[in-house]
Amino acid sequence: MKPGPRNLITDVAGLRVGNAQDAELRSGVTVLTGDAPFTASVHVMGGAPGTRDTDLLAPDKLVSQVDALVLSGGSGFGVAACDGVMAGLAADGRGFAVGEARVPIVPGAILFDLLNGGKKDWRENPYPELGLRAYKAAASEFAIGSEGAGTGAMTARLWGGLGSASAVLENGMTVGALVAVNALGSATVGETAHFWAAPWELEREFGGLGLPSEFPAAAEPLPFKRPGEATTIAIVATDANLDKAGLQRLATVAHDGLARALVPSHTPLDGDLVFAASTGARPLQDPVADSFWLGHAAASVLARAIARAVFTARSRPDDRRACWRDIAKRG
């Protein structure tokens, strides 16, 4: 397993990502779309999710492909980012055909960033515009860290952010992850700068510190956020030809990566969710072996993407959290 050329989810050929954010709002939107509709499913393990149109991703539902997936800040207000993405897709003539009509299929998930110090006294919901801007910005190259849906994200100790990573397997298949990290838990071990995800790091992509030589004594973690204030929302994608049932299994296994990188995770106060997407470009050569490796890669790539989100996040003088670079400088 090695990183793809960009070490981004867009190493899965045919996929593009766009970010839009508002510095004063301290929030933003991230959109995954593609050159063509793609198959998708989802699995939710957090106790406080916020979603739109995720029911249609179940294997027994009619619509088999989507036009985009949305990750947004803004809590319940952020669900409206999907409206802006739908408007952009409709203007491009894309969507599920129903007679002469076309309806863009745009499931989404949100995180809570309403108490992060940003200006939230808007008169009109800003998220549809942010969604449209993110869709229009979609490209194979995109920024991570304090960008898009990760703009105002926080973890227990540090600023969270938007992360991405990829892996190319020996069988030629590519797996990528995209994640907005706004967790109740911590991505780093105790008071150190060492990432929980260190065992899965490739090519020093988040500092190369490894795990600490000594671990802090086990303690019962305290919830530093209130119910509904946390959530890590992610997408794993592959070029392997998986149907919705196979993708639902891939999303389920990918949650292992979230648990490897954030401690604690999947709490009643988090809305932890993973979408899984497939362009279908590569047929499975060995359905059992390939599915096994895809699941392992999805968990590993998501753990790496979470650490990269925190590693690349930036802070401002008036911020309510330090960023990783701040604690790394302190040693």
Side-chain angles (χ1 to χ4, degrees), residues 82-323:
C82 297
D83 293 338
V85 178
M86 287 186 70
L89 287 160
D92 289 341
R94 296 184 57 178
F96 181 73
V98 185
E100 297 180 356
R102 286 190 173 273
V103 181
I105 306 300
V106 185
I110 54 88
L111 56 81
F112 186 99
D113 58 5
L114 299 180
L115 299 177
N116 62 6
K119 187 177 180 181
K120 304 299 197 295
D121 57 344
W122 61 74
R123 292 187 177 183
E124 183 177 346
N125 190 331
Y127 288 96
E129 179 186 355
L130 287 168
L132 179 59
R133 282 172 46 198
Y135 170 72
K136 289 183 175 180
S140 57
E141 297 283 353
F142 62 96
I144 61 173
S146 301
E147 306 284 343
T151 300
M154 297 185 289
T155 69
R157 294 181 58 218
L158 304 172
W159 275 107
L162 184 76
S164 191
S166 70
V168 180
L169 309 186
E170 289 185 4
N171 61 14
M173 294 176 176
T174 300
V175 179
L178 178 69
V179 60
V181 182
N182 187 59
L184 181 145
S186 176
T188 51
V189 182
E191 299 296 316
T192 76
H194 297 265
F195 286 99
W196 287 109
W200 293 273
E201 184 176 15
L202 297 179
E203 300 180 2
R204 300 178 62 87
E205 62 194 330
F206 42 87
L209 297 182
L211 290 171
S213 57
E214 295 183 5
F215 283 80
E220 295 181 9
L222 296 175
F224 291 99
K225 298 183 180 183
R226 290 171 291 188
E229 291 185 11
T231 284
T232 296
I233 47 180
I235 304 168
V236 294
T238 181
D239 53 4
N241 187 12
L242 300 177
D243 59 15
K244 287 203 290 184
L247 288 170
Q248 188 178 67
R249 171 50 45 187
L250 190 69
T252 302
V253 176
H255 274 281
D256 288 354
L258 198 153
R260 294 172 187 174
L262 294 168
V263 179
S265 58
H266 303 131
T267 77
L269 310 183
D270 286 284
D272 296 341
L273 169 152
V274 178
F275 291 108
S278 167
T279 62
R282 285 181 173 270
L284 300 184
Q285 300 300 315
D286 183 331
V288 175
D290 288 346
S291 295
F292 173 87
W293 285 111
L294 287 168
H296 171 66
S300 300
V301 167
L302 181 51
R304 293 165 47 213
I306 289 169
R308 293 190 79 206
V310 176
F311 176 71
T312 54
R314 305 180 302 276
S315 61
R316 302 185 304 186
D318 59 344
D319 279 344
R320 302 186 177 189
R321 293 283 193 283
C323 71

